[in-house]
C-alpha cells in the first residue's frame, strides 16, 4: 500500500468486479487485512505482524524456489545475528536441555512471560529413543553428536543453528531461537549439550 | 438444569445394546482455575439404567470418569419399542433422568 | 490428576487417517497403529451430539430483544434453510455486502433479526466449561445438517474470489516471534507434529480431510470447537496476536480452505484429540 | 412416607434394603445409588486402599478378563476402556488406574441378564497400568494392561 496509485487501481478493479488484481496487489492487501484482523493480547502485541525482511521474503509456498541471490542474502543477514557465548563454552547441561526440548510453551498470548520458554524440539524432531511422541517436520536428530563427532566445529554449528537456523538455510521452518530471544544463552547451551554430549540420550 | 442425555438403545438377536452420552463437567477437584483457585469436585457418582422398571445396570463413578461421560453396556430381554430409562446423580445431589425407546 | 488433565493443549488441524511411513521401525509403526485404534474407539460416542441438541433448541427458540427465533435466518440457501447450507459457506451475502462464514452469518442474524447487539452476540464465541457458547452449539447443529453433503463453495462474486486469494496469501504469511505461517505445518504431505498427523492443506486430499472434520469435539478440552476456534487457536500457537472472531482475515482464510475442500462429503461434527 | 424415607437413609440401611425400598417405589433408584457410593473405595489413594475398601484385598489374576483399550492414548483426558469378563457368575466390574490420585475410576454392578461387558472413558494423569477387577460368585479376579499417555499437538 506504499504506492497510492496501485491502491487506487486495486479499488477500481474491485469496484468493477474485475479479478485481475496482480499477485503483488493481493499480497499487499493481505498484509493490510492481517493488521485489521487481530487484537493484541497478553504478550502478543500487534508488532508481531510487522514482518522483517526474511519473514517477508519467506511468505511463499515452500515449493517455490527462491532465487539463489535472495537465499544468499537471507542467509547473510541472519548469519550476522549469531552471537556465540562470551565465555566460549558451547555446551551446557543436557538434562536441562531435555526439559527445554520437551516444553512447548513460551511467547503465546496465553503464556506467562515470566515462565521461561521451551524450544519444543520434539514437536518436529525425533531426538531420543525413549520419547515416542515426536514430530517429523524436521529431520531426526537421534545420534546427532555420535554421527558427527563432538568437535568444536560441530558444536559451533549446532549452537549457531539453534540460534538462527536461517543463517544456514534461508526460509527454514525452524524458529530463530537466539535471534528472536525465545531462548536464553544458557538454554541454547543446554540444548546444544543435549545434541552433542556423549552421555545424552540423543547419543545412546 | 443439566442438559438431556443422548441415549441409543438397539436390539439385535435378543440383546439390547445401550449407549449413553451425558452432559457433565466431571470436575476432579484437583484442577485450578485461571486465578489459581481449586475448582471444587463436581462429578456424577451414580448411574442407574432400568428396563421395564427392572435395574439393568448400576454404576458408581469417581471423578476420573471423563468429562461428558460415555457409557456402553448390553442386556438381554428387551424388545423393540420398550423404554430404557437412565438416571444419573452427582455429588452435589443434582440428577437427571432420560429415556429412549429400543430400536 | 498428577498432571493437569484439563490443560488446554491446543492442537493441530485435524487428525488424519492416511498415515505415511515414518523414519524409525517397529516402535513408531506400532505407536501409529495404536493411536489409530484409540481414535477408532472414540468414534463410538461423540459428545458433540450434546451440543447439536442444544443448538437445535437455540435455533428454534424465540430469543433476543425482538423475541424471534433464527428460523428465518438466511444461511445462503434461503431463509430458514439449514440442510446443506454449511457445505456452501463461506459465501458473499448482498445484505451485508461481504463474504461470511457460518459463524459470522449467525452473528449477523442474531443482530439483524433477534435484535442482539454485536457485543452481546459475540460475548462468548468459545465456551469454557459451564460458560457455554451459544454460537458453538448453533454451529454444531447447523453443520450436522450438512453431514454427507459434498463441499461446494463457489467463487462467483468478485468478493468471493478476492477472499480466496487473500486467504491464500494469509496462509503463507510468516510472522511473530517464531516465524510461523499456517504453511509451516500444513504444506507438506505425511508430516506430523508430535504424534498428530498434519494435513497438507495445499493439496486437495489434505484440505478435504481437514476441513470436512470441523467442528469437532476436542477430548483434550471437553469442548465442541468450531472452525473459527480452530483458526484462532492455530494463530495463538503461531505466536500471533489474537485473531478477531469473524474478522476479514478469518473469513478469507476459511474461504481458501473451504474451497480447496470442494467435492468431499462433509463429515462433522467430528471427535478429535 | 418422607419421614420414613429420611430415617431409613440416615440409618445407613443396607444396599439390599434400599433396593427393596426402591422397588416398592418408596425411594428413587438414584437415592439408592447415592447412598451406596463407596466413599472409602473412591477416595482411597492407592490400588491397595481401593481394593481393600472394595473387599478385594488379594484378587486372583485371570486371563478370562479382557481389557479393550489402545496401548497408547492420544490424550489422557479421555481414554476409552472396555472390560469384558468371561468368568461365569460375574456380578460386578471395576476399572482402576494405578497412577491416578485415586485409583478407582468406576464400578459397575451387573444384575442377572446384563452382559458382563461395559465400556466407558476415563482420565489418566500419566502412563499407567489399568486394572479391571471382576467380582464373580463372591470372589475377586483381576487383569491389567499398560496404557501409555502421550504428549500431543503443538504442546502449548
Amino acid at each position: 500500500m506504499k504506492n497510492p496509485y496501485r491502491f487506487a487501481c486495486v479499488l477500481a478493479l474491485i469496484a468493477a468486479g474485475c479479478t485481475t488484481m496482480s499477485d503483488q496487489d493481493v499480497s499487499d492487501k493481505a498484509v493490510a487485512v492481517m493488521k485489521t484482523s487481530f487484537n493484541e493480547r497478553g504478550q502478543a502485541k500487534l508488532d508481531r505482524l510487522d514482518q522483517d525482511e526474511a519473514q517477508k521474503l519467506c511468505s511463499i509456498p515452500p515449493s517455490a524456489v527462491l532465487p539463489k541471490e535472495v537465499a544468499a542474502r537471507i542467509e547473510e543477514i541472519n548469519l550476522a545475528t549469531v552471537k556465540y557465548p562470551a565465555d566460549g563454552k558451547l555446551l551446557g547441561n543436557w538434562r536441562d536441555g531435555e526439559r527445554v526440548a520437551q516444553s512447548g510453551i513460551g511467547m503465546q498470548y496465553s503464556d506467562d512471560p515470566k515462565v521461561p520458554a521451551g524450544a519444543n524440539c520434539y514437536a518436529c524432531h525425533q531426538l531420543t529413543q525413549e520419547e515416542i511422541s515426536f514430530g517429523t517436520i524436521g529431520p531426526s536428530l537421534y545420534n546427532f553428536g555420535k554421527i558427527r563427532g563432538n568437535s568444536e566445529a560441530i558444536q559451533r554449528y549446532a549452537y549457531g543453528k539453534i540460534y538462527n537456523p536461517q543463517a544456514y538455510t534461508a526460509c527454514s521452518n525452524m524458529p530463530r531461537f537466539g535471534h528472536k530471544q525465545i531462548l536464553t544463552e544458557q538454554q541454547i547451551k543446554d540444548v546444544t549439550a543435549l545434541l552433542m554430549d556423549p552421555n545424552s540420550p540423543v547419543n545412546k | 438444569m443439566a442438559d438431556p442425555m443422548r441415549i441409543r438403545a438397539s436390539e439385535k438377536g435378543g440383546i439390547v445394546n445401550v449407549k449413553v452420552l451425558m452432559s457433565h463437567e466431571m470436575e476432579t477437584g484437583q484442577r485450578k482455575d485461571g486465578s489459581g483457585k481449586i475448582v471444587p469436585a463436581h462429578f456424577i457418582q451414580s448411574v442407574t439404567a432400568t428396563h421395564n422398571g427392572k435395574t439393568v445396570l448400576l454404576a458408581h463413578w469417581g471423578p476420573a470418569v471423563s468429562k461428558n461421560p460415555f457409557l456402553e453396556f448390553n442386556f438381554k430381554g428387551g424388545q423393540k419399542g420398550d423404554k430404557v430409562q437412565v438416571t444419573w446423580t452427582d455429588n452435589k445431589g443434582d440428577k437427571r433422568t432420560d429415556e429412549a425407546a429400543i430400536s | 490428576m498428577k498432571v493437569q488433565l484439563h490443560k488446554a493443549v491446543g492442537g493441530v488441524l485435524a487428525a488424519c487417517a492416511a498415515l505415511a511411513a515414518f523414519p524409525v521401525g517397529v516402535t513408531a509403526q506400532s505407536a501409529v497403529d495404536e493411536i489409530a485404534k484409540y481414535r477408532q474407539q472414540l468414534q463410538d460416542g461423540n459428545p458433540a451430539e450434546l451440543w447439536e441438541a442444544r443448538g437445535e433448541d437455540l435455533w428454534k427458540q424465540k430469543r433476543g430483544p425482538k423475541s424471534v427465533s433464527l428460523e428465518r435466518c438466511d444461511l445462503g440457501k434461503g431463509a430458514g434453510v439449514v440442510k446443506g447450507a454449511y457445505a456452501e459457506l463461506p459465501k458473499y451475502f448482498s445484505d451485508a455486502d461481504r463474504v461470511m462464514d457460518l459463524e459470522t452469518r449467525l452473528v449477523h442474524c442474531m443482530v439483524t433479526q433477534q435484535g442482539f447487539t454485536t457485543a452481546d452476540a459475540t460475548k462468548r464465541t468459545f465456551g469454557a466449561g459451564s460458560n457455554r457458547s451459544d454460537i458453538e452449539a448453533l454451529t454444531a447443529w447447523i453443520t450436522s445438517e450438512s453431514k454427507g453433503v459434498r463441499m461446494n463453495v463457489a467463487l462467483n462474486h468478485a468478493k468471493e474470489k478476492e477472499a480466496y486469494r487473500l486467504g491464500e496469501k494469509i496462509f503463507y504469511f510468516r510472522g511473530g516471534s517464531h516465524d510461523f505461517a499456517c504453511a509451516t505445518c500444513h504444506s507438506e504431505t505425511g508430516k506430523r507434529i508430535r504424534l498428530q498427523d498434519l494435513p497438507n492443506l495445499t493439496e486437495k486430499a489434505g484440505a478435504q480431510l481437514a476441513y470436512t472434520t470441523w467442528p469437532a469435539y476436542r477430548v483434550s478440552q471437553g469442548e465442541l470447537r468450531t472452525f473459527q476456534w480452530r483458526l484462532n487457536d492455530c494463530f495463538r500457537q503461531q505466536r500471533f496476536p489474537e485473531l478477531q472472531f469473524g474478522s476479514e482475515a478469518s473469513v478469507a482464510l476459511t474461504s481458501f480452505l473451504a474451497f480447496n475442500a470442494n467435492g468431499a462429503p462433509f463429515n462433522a461434527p467430528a471427535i478429535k484429540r | 412416607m418422607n419421614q420414613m424415607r429420611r430415617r431409613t437413609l440416615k440409618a445407613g440401611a443396607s444396599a439390599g434394603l434400599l433396593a427393596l425400598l426402591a422397588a416398592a417405589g418408596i425411594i428413587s433408584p438414584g437415592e439408592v445409588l447415592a447412598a451406596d457410593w463407596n466413599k472409602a473405595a473412591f477416595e482411597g489413594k492407592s490400588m491397595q486402599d481401593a481394593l481393600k475398601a472394595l473387599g478385594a484385598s488379594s484378587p486372583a489374576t485371570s486371563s478370562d478378563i479382557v481389557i479393550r483399550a489402545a496401548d497408547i492414548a492420544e490424550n489422557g483426558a479421555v481414554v476409552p476402556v472396555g472390560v469384558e469378563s468371561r468368568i461365569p457368575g460375574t456380578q460386578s466390574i471395576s476399572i482402576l488406574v494405578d497412577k491416578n490420585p485415586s485409583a478407582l475410576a468406576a464400578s459397575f454392578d451387573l444384575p442377572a441378564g446384563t452382559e458382563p461387558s461395559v465400556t466407558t472413558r476415563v482420565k489418566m494423569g500419566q502412563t499407567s497400568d489399568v486394572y479391571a477387577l471382576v467380582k464373580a460368585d463372591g470372589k475377586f479376579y483381576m487383569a491389567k494392561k499398560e496404557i501409555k499417555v502421550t504428549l500431543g499437538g503443538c504442546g502449548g
Side-chain angles (χ1 to χ4, degrees):
Chain A
M1 236 56 64
K2 279 170 211 144
N3 180 342
Y5 169 74
R6 191 165 66 208
F7 185 50
C9 181
V10 169
L11 290 179
L13 288 172
I14 296 168
C18 182
T19 60
T20 51
M21 260 170 101
S22 79
D23 192 62
Q24 188 57 50
D25 290 337
V26 180
S27 289
D28 290 347
K29 178 144 195 216
V31 170
V33 163
M34 286 296 277
K35 295 202 170 164
T36 61
S37 293
F38 286 81
N39 292 329
E40 70 168 48
R41 184 166 165 188
Q43 58 181 304
K45 309 295 183 201
L46 290 176
D47 63 7
R48 295 266 178 104
L49 301 172
D50 297 336
Q51 295 174 299
D52 68 15
E53 192 177 357
Q55 288 175 334
K56 264 185 218 147
L57 292 168
C58 296
S59 290
I60 51 169
S63 53
V65 182
L66 275 181
K68 265 205 181 88
E69 63 278 10
V70 176
R73 171 159 171 78
I74 292 170
E75 286 164 14
E76 186 194 326
I77 54 179
N78 280 289
L79 187 60
T81 71
V82 179
K83 287 190 199 75
Y84 285 95
D87 64 4
K89 293 197 184 90
L90 295 165
L91 301 190
N93 179 332
W94 69 261
R95 285 188 180 83
D96 292 335
E98 164 71 11
R99 277 191 283 276
V100 174
Q102 286 280 5
S103 167
I105 60 158
M107 314 298 272
Q108 299 167 120
Y109 56 70
S110 50
D111 292 326
D112 180 348
K114 292 194 283 283
V115 177
N120 214 9
C121 309
Y122 284 102
C124 299
H125 298 281
Q126 182 185 30
L127 285 142
T128 65
Q129 291 211 297
E130 290 75 25
E131 181 54 85
I132 58 166
S133 181
F134 59 85
T136 59
I137 297 170
S140 172
L141 302 174
Y142 179 59
N143 279 351
F144 183 92
K146 200 172 173 181
I147 291 164
R148 291 165 182 81
N150 194 5
S151 67
E152 204 194 326
I154 298 294
Q155 287 179 13
R156 279 182 73 81
Y157 167 70
Y159 187 98
K161 181 87 183 175
I162 299 162
Y163 196 97
N164 190 338
Q166 297 204 46
Y168 308 89
T169 311
C171 301
S172 165
N173 279 333
M174 184 169 149
R176 295 172 287 179
F177 289 105
H179 174 54
K180 296 289 247 173
Q181 297 177 318
I182 300 162
L183 299 181
T184 62
E185 180 181 288
Q186 186 57 47
Q187 286 180 304
I188 300 176
K189 287 180 175 186
D190 293 338
V191 177
T192 308
L194 179 68
L195 292 172
M196 302 302 302
D197 194 316
N199 294 317
S200 156
V202 168
N203 297 315
K204 292 289 170 192
Chain B
M1 201 182 73
D3 280 342
M5 284 175 250
R6 302 288 282 180
I7 305 170
R8 285 216 173 86
S10 57
E11 184 270 339
K12 205 180 163 186
I15 292 175
V16 178
N17 172 266
V18 184
K19 289 177 183 169
V20 190
L21 280 166
M22 303 163 211
S23 178
H24 205 284
E25 285 300 308
M26 300 301 285
E27 275 294 346
T28 59
Q30 310 208 9
R31 192 176 66 95
K32 285 179 183 159
D33 67 12
S35 57
K37 273 187 299 199
I38 295 271
V39 182
H42 186 206
F43 58 95
I44 293 173
Q45 283 189 317
S46 55
V47 182
T48 173
T50 58
H51 164 247
N52 290 343
K54 173 185 175 288
T55 298
V56 287
L57 187 83
L58 210 147
H60 297 197
W61 289 351
V65 168
S66 301
K67 180 174 173 178
N68 297 320
F70 172 75
L71 166 67
E72 181 178 3
F73 66 97
N74 301 282
F75 69 89
K76 288 190 199 98
Q79 311 272 325
K80 285 189 181 12
D82 288 0
K83 293 272 165 55
V84 173
Q85 194 180 69
V86 180
T87 299
W88 59 250
T89 309
D90 71 21
N91 66 322
K92 291 184 181 172
D94 291 338
K95 63 172 65 182
R96 167 102 213 170
T97 299
D98 291 284
E99 61 178 29
I102 298 171
S103 64
Chain C
M1 301 292 115
K2 280 159 194 159
V3 285
Q4 223 175 300
L5 278 171
H6 292 268
K7 200 178 99 184
V9 276
V12 292
L13 210 71
C16 109
L19 297 162
F22 293 105
V24 283
V26 183
T27 321
Q29 189 52 49
S30 67
V32 165
D33 292 346
E34 289 300 320
I35 291 218
K37 186 173 164 189
Y38 170 87
R39 289 176 190 160
Q40 190 49 45
Q41 287 175 336
L42 286 181
Q43 301 306 317
D44 235 6
N46 184 351
E49 287 181 28
L50 301 165
W51 273 255
E52 292 167 25
R54 193 163 70 86
E56 185 174 3
D57 284 349
L58 284 168
W59 178 262
K60 293 171 179 170
Q61 260 171 43
K62 291 191 170 74
R63 300 171 70 236
K66 294 185 185 166
S67 188
V68 293
S69 78
L70 285 168
E71 287 165 302
R72 297 297 301 158
C73 177
D74 181 358
L75 300 174
K77 291 176 78 76
V81 180
V82 174
K83 206 112 205 142
Y86 191 67
E88 295 177 17
L89 291 171
K91 69 159 59 171
Y92 173 80
F93 287 87
S94 56
D95 59 2
D97 191 30
R98 62 170 287 201
V99 177
M100 292 173 147
D101 63 348
L102 173 61
E103 293 95 309
T104 315
R105 188 65 187 169
L106 276 173
V107 170
H108 176 86
C109 287
M110 288 166 77
V111 171
T112 58
Q113 297 184 3
Q114 295 184 310
F116 286 107
T117 62
T118 305
D120 277 344
T122 56
K123 197 168 58 193
R124 190 160 288 124
T125 50
F126 310 130
S130 51
N131 293 325
R132 306 192 297 184
S133 161
D134 292 345
I135 291 186
E136 282 176 341
L138 284 161
T139 302
W141 179 64
I142 293 163
T143 57
S144 77
E145 291 286 298
S146 283
K147 234 176 206 176
V149 178
R150 286 187 190 277
M151 288 300 302
N152 185 24
V153 176
L155 299 185
N156 295 328
H157 194 276
K159 290 201 175 180
E160 291 169 346
K161 292 184 178 117
E162 190 196 43
Y164 179 88
R165 292 183 74 192
L166 289 172
E168 182 174 29
K169 291 292 179 190
I170 292 166
F171 184 82
Y172 292 113
F173 181 99
R174 292 187 78 168
S177 58
H178 285 52
D179 303 331
F180 290 150
C182 307
T184 307
C185 289
H186 294 294
S187 59
E188 279 189 87
T189 302
K191 299 290 180 185
R192 49 176 227 225
I193 193 159
R194 288 279 186 174
L195 285 172
Q196 275 70 48
D197 309 295
L198 294 162
N200 178 354
L201 300 177
T202 66
E203 284 188 354
K204 197 150 200 72
Q208 289 180 328
L209 187 65
Y211 193 82
T212 58
T213 53
W214 285 96
Y217 181 79
R218 289 293 302 272
V219 301
S220 52
Q221 303 174 34
E223 299 285 352
L224 182 289
R225 294 310 192 190
T226 62
F227 203 71
Q228 277 281 339
W229 178 89
R230 176 61 285 169
L231 296 182
N232 178 289
D233 208 55
C234 273
F235 280 117
R236 178 181 69 83
Q237 292 174 310
Q238 271 173 247
R239 275 71 183 173
F240 281 35
E242 185 171 35
L243 181 68
Q244 291 163 22
F245 187 86
S247 58
E248 190 176 356
S250 75
V251 176
L253 194 47
T254 303
S255 294
F256 172 65
L257 298 168
F259 180 82
N260 290 348
N262 269 354
F266 185 72
N267 192 27
I271 182 166
K272 297 171 193 280
R273 178 193 71 85
Chain D
M1 177 103 70
N2 249 349
Q3 252 189 351
M4 171 188 172
R5 207 181 74 151
R6 237 175 274 132
R7 236 182 292 126
T8 314
L9 289 173
K10 239 182 167 170
S14 74
L17 173 56
L18 286 170
L20 277 175
L21 291 171
I26 292 167
I27 57 173
S28 77
E31 282 168 301
V32 178
L33 293 164
D36 219 16
W37 194 74
N38 191 334
K39 190 172 156 68
F42 279 103
E43 291 182 358
K45 299 279 173 250
S46 66
M47 280 285 298
Q48 286 66 33
D49 296 345
L51 290 176
K52 200 174 147 201
L54 290 167
S57 291
S58 48
T61 302
S62 170
S63 57
D64 288 324
I65 304 169
V66 180
I67 301 176
R68 289 187 306 262
D71 294 354
I72 301 175
E74 210 175 1
N75 193 279
V78 178
V79 183
V81 179
V83 178
E84 186 182 341
S85 166
R86 291 167 191 158
I87 303 167
T90 293
Q91 302 159 279
S92 78
I93 291 173
S94 299
I95 298 169
L96 301 97
V97 181
D98 189 16
K99 289 192 181 163
N100 272 2
S102 292
L104 181 61
S107 262
F108 301 88
D109 289 353
L110 310 166
T114 297
E115 307 270 290
S117 171
V118 289
T119 300
T120 190
R121 295 168 180 173
V122 300
K123 299 169 195 163
M124 290 179 65
Q126 57 185 307
T127 296
S128 170
D129 281 333
V130 172
Y131 290 85
L133 176 76
V134 168
K135 185 180 183 185
D137 282 337
K139 290 200 196 74
F140 286 94
Y141 305 86
M142 198 151 74
K144 75 166 176 179
K145 175 187 175 79
E146 187 191 50
I147 299 177
K148 288 192 176 69
V149 174
T150 59
L151 283 173
C154 311

